Amino acid sequence: MGYHEGLMNTAFDAIVIGTGQAGPPLARRLATAGMKVAIIERKLFGGTCVNTGCIPTKTMIASAYAAQLVRRASEYGVDLPAGASVDMTRVKARKDAISGQSRVAVESGLRKLENCTVFQGHARLESAREVSVGSDRLTAERIFINVGARAVVPKMPGLDQVPYLTNSSMMDVDFLPRRLIIVGGSYVGLEFGQMFRRFGSEVTVLEMGPRLVHREDEDVSAAIQEILEREGVRIRTNAKCIGFLRRGEEIIAQADCEEGSKEESGTHVLLAVGRRPNSDDLGLEKAGVAVDEHGNIQVDDQLRSSVPGIWALGDCNGKGGFTHTSYNDFEIVAANLLDNDPRRVSDRILAYGLYVDPPLGRAGMTEAEVRKSGRRALLGKRPMTKVGRAVEKGESQGFMKIVVDAATKEILGAAILGVGGDEAIHCILDVMYAKAPYSVIQRAVHIHPTVSELIPTMLGEMKPL
């Protein structure tokens, strides 16, 4: 139990590398089952979600929402004499407090855990059964890797000549960037883009593809772009050949777009062009652990790596990239190891949120994927302007849609872009897990007034795809 300092050469029953969303709960389950567990963290306890991802960014998004609501107060019949001014030092302090509370809880919980020893330092595999942390050598028959991922820094001309931010270094920003250029028009870039526009920055998003969040359906992408542009975020798509240079105090982003200037001038640059697993510098090759061309540790349906006795959980295995999928990885491994319950990754239905405001809640297949599959399907769609709850709140942007298999009546996928969409999507998702026909929701009596109450109505108005 507790914390370790000094040279050790110790045998454990299990070694957990990383303290993201999968590592700590797995360590608890294993230790509670009577195993002697070592858990290793090289930097911040809690991983991406707690320190640079979900918790701090959603805390900042809440501050940005408050600022926007103040600006719109007169629409609700509320007059505020001063209007909205944002104190970024206090925004950051609130974020740090909430994020820090979670980090401390993860660390203190592990240090107090019986049968568990905490090691701080960079873990490296020396063999399939041996891990080094500094001068210490730990051995175990079971090794669980939960090392997460980090922002990709792409090779772009001139990038080495200018300062830039990533989602991690954005957490240190306690000032308002005057003109923020964001490279990448997907989930991370758009959340930061809207957030900092609401704080008061001028924001330009450079997206290399023809549209924002290209994994989504075209109508979803277009609606998100309209929402952001209405708030004054500049969106430039088809931004090819992006490069950078300094011009005095300014940072110039050069890009070939289909229209408009080839230069964007800004004071700060945020790179939001994807994530890469922290699988390098782990000594995986010494243990013979296979990775794919992106560096993801290759795992089977129960998260076992190519080497017996080594598992990979969370972002580093390329099977999800979300906090909820990482936690589910823990559940799958624990169920198989400790509960004789053969749970699998393939049992999981893809589901996630995009936390622009209003948010996007997503489950299952996109409409485009269903069309490509060639199956007979039904499509239901409803604008949020026809959702009473959204209209009453004065937040009626977006729409909801659902795709159903015409033969089996099972729901194939859904998107709710609108107020409460990140919550309402779950009544659809749960029915998908139950493999029940869509009529189960259609005949359910939902509470009025809610966003969810219009899902049965939408299901009653479906048309062939």
Side-chain angles (χ1 to χ4, degrees):
M1 167 171 114
Y3 175 56
H4 150 74
E5 284 185 87
L7 180 64
M8 256 181 127
N9 195 336
T10 312
F12 291 88
D13 296 312
I15 298 170
V16 179
I17 304 173
T19 63
Q21 290 303 299
L26 181 61
R28 280 193 287 277
R29 278 297 314 270
L30 297 173
T32 304
M35 293 189 197
K36 186 181 176 187
V37 178
I39 190 162
I40 306 162
E41 176 52 59
R42 71 185 172 101
K43 198 175 179 186
L44 299 173
F45 287 79
T48 298
C49 175
V50 165
N51 297 290
T52 60
C54 319
I55 291 176
T57 59
K58 279 33 169 193
T59 303
M60 292 171 74
I61 284 170
S63 293
Y65 177 80
Q68 183 72 353
L69 207 54
V70 169
R71 286 190 195 97
R72 294 184 60 206
S74 62
E75 295 176 32
Y76 297 88
V78 178
D79 290 324
L80 298 171
S85 68
V86 177
D87 183 342
M88 290 301 296
T89 57
R90 284 163 60 200
V91 169
K92 181 177 182 293
R94 178 177 183 271
K95 178 264 297 178
D96 288 345
I98 292 171
S99 176
Q101 202 172 12
S102 293
R103 180 170 60 250
V104 168
V106 172
E107 182 174 358
S108 62
L110 289 170
R111 294 204 188 283
K112 292 172 187 170
L113 182 61
E114 203 170 336
N115 294 332
C116 181
T117 307
V118 174
F119 291 81
Q120 283 194 269
H122 192 120
R124 291 180 178 86
L125 296 173
E126 301 297 334
S127 71
R129 296 290 175 267
E130 188 179 20
V131 176
S132 65
V133 189
S135 57
D136 297 320
R137 293 293 181 274
L138 319 178
T139 58
E141 288 299 304
R142 301 176 189 86
I143 296 172
F144 304 93
I145 302 172
N146 178 221
V147 292
R150 64 188 184 277
V152 167
V153 178
K155 286 190 169 77
M156 289 179 169
L159 187 59
D160 56 344
Q161 304 300 311
V162 299
Y164 58 82
L165 297 154
T166 67
N167 73 292
S168 296
S169 53
M170 281 299 270
M171 295 300 98
D172 299 324
V173 170
D174 60 357
F175 57 89
L176 189 68
R178 200 166 76 253
R179 293 199 307 282
L180 178 63
I181 298 170
I182 298 175
V183 182
S186 199
Y187 306 92
V188 173
L190 298 186
E191 287 182 18
F192 276 114
Q194 186 186 45
M195 179 201 309
F196 274 88
R197 178 69 194 129
R198 289 179 166 190
F199 288 150
S201 300
E202 291 178 30
V203 176
T204 300
V205 175
L206 298 178
E207 166 53 43
M208 289 165 248
R211 59 189 177 90
L212 301 178
V213 280
H214 66 90
R215 291 187 187 88
E216 306 302 334
D217 284 323
E218 288 189 25
D219 55 355
V220 173
S221 291
I224 290 170
Q225 181 162 338
E226 185 187 334
I227 287 164
L228 295 175
E229 287 181 331
R230 191 181 292 180
E231 293 189 23
V233 177
R234 291 186 67 230
I235 309 286
R236 302 199 64 191
T237 53
N238 292 301
K240 312 290 186 194
C241 309
I242 298 172
F244 298 91
L245 57 88
R246 289 298 289 264
R247 191 176 290 158
E249 294 296 302
E250 300 288 301
I251 299 171
I252 308 298
Q254 299 173 311
D256 288 330
C257 297
E258 286 182 347
E259 53 189 49
S261 167
K262 291 194 173 185
E263 288 192 351
E264 290 291 341
S265 171
T267 56
H268 296 81
V269 172
L270 167 64
L271 300 178
V273 291
R275 311 272 295 161
R276 60 175 293 180
N278 292 324
S279 56
D280 41 4
D281 202 18
L282 260 186
L284 295 177
E285 64 288 342
K286 287 189 180 178
V289 175
V291 297
D292 67 15
E293 69 272 21
H294 303 294
N296 296 310
I297 298 173
Q298 293 185 300
V299 293
D300 67 10
D301 212 15
Q302 295 182 326
L303 301 161
R304 296 170 294 207
S305 77
S306 59
V307 177
I310 299 180
W311 290 256
L313 304 87
D315 295 4
C316 67
N317 65 25
K319 293 286 186 184
F322 304 106
T323 292
H324 51 277
T325 52
S326 183
Y327 188 82
N328 182 239
D329 284 357
F330 140 68
E331 294 177 312
I332 290 167
V333 170
N336 280 282
L337 268 180
L338 302 172
D339 303 331
N340 197 29
D341 179 2
R343 294 178 66 173
R344 301 170 301 173
V345 176
S346 57
D347 294 333
R348 195 153 69 200
I349 297 169
L350 180 67
Y352 54 87
L354 165 59
Y355 291 94
V356 290
D357 175 39
L360 170 68
R362 276 272 294 111
M365 300 170 76
T366 61
E367 179 188 337
E369 287 169 339
V370 174
R371 287 184 186 277
K372 197 174 174 183
S373 74
R375 72 180 85 193
R376 282 176 53 242
L378 303 170
L379 173 71
K381 195 168 179 178
R382 190 173 191 89
M384 296 303 284
T385 52
K386 291 189 177 178
V387 175
R389 182 72 170 136
V391 175
E392 292 149 14
K393 288 171 74 79
E395 299 180 22
S396 58
Q397 298 183 96
F399 62 89
M400 56 173 79
K401 70 172 175 177
I402 193 162
V403 191
V404 169
D405 189 299
T408 66
K409 311 299 183 197
E410 285 188 21
I411 298 168
L412 299 173
I416 304 180
L417 173 63
V419 59
D422 52 333
E423 297 287 351
I425 195 71
H426 289 96
C427 68
I428 296 172
L429 183 63
D430 291 344
V431 171
M432 290 173 73
Y433 272 110
K435 299 189 189 310
Y438 73 85
S439 56
V440 169
I441 305 184
Q442 190 192 350
R443 295 177 183 183
V445 180
H446 287 184
I447 297 167
H448 173 80
T450 60
V451 173
S452 300
E453 72 171 319
L454 273 304
I455 293 172
T457 310
M458 177 174 62
L459 287 165
E461 300 170 346
M462 291 189 297
K463 294 180 171 63
L465 192 61

